[in-house]
């Protein structure tokens, strides 16, 4: 196993950090391909202080195919490093004796990990396949834990305490649902805006799905079987003060005809 560490100054612009890190990954794989190493290996871990993002996994998979590499490549962002450190008290006490995991923090972390594993197991028929290849329809019912009116909507104009959404995919923060389609405008640097620019030169219009993320800790429970009103899985979620369960969002490209643009877009690459 080889571990390549990439320390990044997180005070810099997130777009520049991502650009540097993608370049670092490309350089690392090129060096390992062109130069012999004193040891044999079958796994490369790229670890960084930068936050995780789906773009890194997609980029690594594409480079692995283009370089024809046979070994496994795994990306560890800061979230994964923190999670793994929390299970290594000996390592923490040796290198970071001032850092102690409180009982509440440890319980909170284990709860998130447990929920992630449950979702991976119970929703494998959805999460392991692209929407067009799934055996079951992607529609789910989302309930607020405080809802007492289902299946009615007492106020048709909202706020709504239950609604339909399409399950999308897991990421490090939680479970994503598609609840909106939109058009965004992307420049040559992969930066995007949802506002149509006055001057479209240098921009590509991209059709995207908005994927809204429910944090693992806000998923209270779910029922795979549904009920007599909607025969599909139901999620019971903690809604926030804005009457929504979503704490984050990003976009996923839908246009297969639009090339040379990223597959995912989030706030780190958004134009002001």
């Amino acid at each position: 196993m080889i571990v390549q560490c990439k320390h990044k100054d997180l005070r810099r612009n997130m777009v520049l950090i991502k650009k540097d890190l993608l370049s670092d990954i490309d350089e690392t794989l090129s060096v390992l391909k062109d130069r012999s190493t004193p040891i044999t290996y079958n796994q490369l871990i790229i670890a960084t202080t930068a936050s995780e993002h789906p773009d890194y996994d997609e980029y690594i998979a594409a480079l692995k195919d283009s370089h024809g590499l046979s070994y496994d490549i795994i990306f560890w962002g800061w979230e994964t490093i923190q999670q793994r450190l929390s299970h290594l008290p000996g390592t923490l006490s040796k290198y970071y004796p001032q850092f102690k995991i409180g009982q509440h923090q440890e319980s909170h972390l284990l709860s998130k990990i447990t929920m992630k594993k449950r979702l991976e197991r119970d929703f494998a028929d959805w999460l392991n396949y692209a929407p067009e290849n799934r055996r079951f329809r992607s529609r789910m019912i989302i309930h607020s834990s405080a809802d007492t009116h289902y299946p009615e909507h007492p106020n048709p104009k909202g706020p709504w305490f239950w609604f339909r959404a399409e399950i999308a995919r897991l990421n490090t923060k939680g479970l994503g649902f598609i609840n909106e389609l939109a058009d965004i405008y992307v420049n040559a640097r992969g930066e995007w805006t949802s506002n149509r620019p006055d001057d479209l030169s240098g921009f590509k219009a991209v059709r995207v799905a908005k994927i809204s993320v429910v944090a693992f800790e806000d998923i209270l429970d779910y029922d795979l079987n549904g009920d007599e009103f909607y025969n599909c899985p139901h999620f019971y979620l903690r809604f926030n003060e804005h009457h929504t369960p979503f704490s984050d969002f990003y976009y996923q490209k839908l246009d297969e005809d639009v090339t040379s643009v990223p597959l995912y877009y989030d706030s780190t690459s958004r134009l002001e």
Side-chain angles (χ1 to χ4, degrees):
M1 181 187 295
I2 294 177
V3 179
Q4 172 66 62
C5 299
K6 298 294 183 183
H7 178 267
K8 295 298 176 185
D9 183 354
L10 302 183
R11 295 170 297 181
R12 300 168 59 214
N13 183 281
M14 293 302 294
V15 173
L16 296 178
I17 292 174
K18 184 186 291 185
K19 182 179 179 181
D20 284 352
L21 192 48
L22 292 175
S23 177
D24 289 342
I25 293 170
D26 196 355
E27 180 182 359
T28 296
L29 297 186
S30 296
V31 168
L32 288 174
K33 181 181 179 182
D34 297 337
R35 300 180 189 176
S36 61
T37 59
I39 61 170
T40 58
Y41 58 94
N42 57 21
Q43 186 177 90
L44 167 67
I45 295 176
I46 298 174
T48 177
T49 51
S51 187
E52 293 178 350
H53 191 279
D55 282 354
Y56 298 130
D57 296 318
E58 296 287 339
Y59 190 67
I60 285 172
L63 285 180
K64 180 179 178 180
D65 289 341
S66 65
H67 286 304
L69 303 175
S70 60
Y71 54 84
D72 295 329
I73 307 172
I74 300 173
F75 184 87
W76 285 4
W78 189 238
E79 293 85 355
T80 295
I81 294 173
Q82 285 181 305
Q83 176 183 321
R84 289 180 172 271
L85 276 174
S86 69
H87 295 284
L88 298 169
T91 302
L92 279 175
S93 62
K94 179 177 180 179
Y95 295 101
Y96 304 99
Q98 76 282 7
F99 183 76
K100 302 293 182 184
I101 297 182
Q103 189 173 13
H104 173 74
Q105 181 182 355
E106 193 174 64
S107 174
H108 178 69
L109 178 63
L110 292 175
S111 176
K112 290 172 60 176
I113 294 172
T114 299
M115 178 56 70
K116 182 174 184 292
K117 289 180 177 179
R118 284 182 59 195
L119 293 169
E120 289 172 337
R121 179 195 66 216
D122 292 340
F123 289 88
D125 286 330
W126 290 272
L127 300 175
N128 293 341
Y129 301 94
E132 62 272 18
N133 297 327
R134 293 171 179 171
R135 292 188 299 161
F136 306 105
R137 59 186 178 183
S138 300
R139 187 184 70 178
M140 311 277 155
I141 301 297
I142 289 177
H143 299 264
S144 164
S145 59
D147 177 38
T148 58
H149 297 285
Y150 175 83
E152 304 296 331
H153 285 301
N155 185 357
K157 296 183 178 180
W160 288 14
F161 294 95
W162 70 269
F163 55 87
R164 292 171 241 186
E166 290 193 11
I167 191 170
R169 61 198 298 272
L170 288 169
N171 68 6
T172 56
K173 296 182 179 179
L175 178 61
F177 291 89
I178 298 174
N179 59 357
E180 181 182 338
L181 301 181
D183 291 310
I184 62 173
Y185 303 88
V186 184
N187 64 22
R189 295 186 297 275
E191 300 166 329
W192 64 276
T193 177
S194 57
N195 299 317
R196 180 185 174 91
D198 294 332
D199 182 4
L200 284 174
S201 60
F203 284 88
K204 291 183 179 181
V206 181
R207 189 67 171 170
V208 294
K210 181 179 180 181
I211 301 180
S212 298
V213 179
V214 179
F216 292 121
E217 57 266 35
D218 289 331
I219 302 175
L220 301 179
D221 207 348
Y222 52 80
D223 179 359
L224 289 168
N225 297 319
D227 57 25
E228 67 272 25
F229 300 106
Y230 295 100
N231 184 24
C232 61
H234 288 228
F235 282 88
Y236 300 91
L237 311 176
R238 183 181 292 110
F239 280 35
N240 59 32
E241 66 274 15
H242 302 294
H243 307 295
T244 176
F246 304 124
S247 57
D248 194 15
F249 77 91
Y250 59 95
Y251 292 115
Q252 179 175 339
K253 179 172 76 76
L254 297 177
D255 284 331
E256 294 184 359
D257 296 334
V258 180
T259 59
S260 302
V261 297
L263 179 61
Y264 298 102
Y265 306 85
D266 64 10
S267 59
T268 63
S269 56
R270 184 172 189 168
L271 291 170
E272 296 296 335

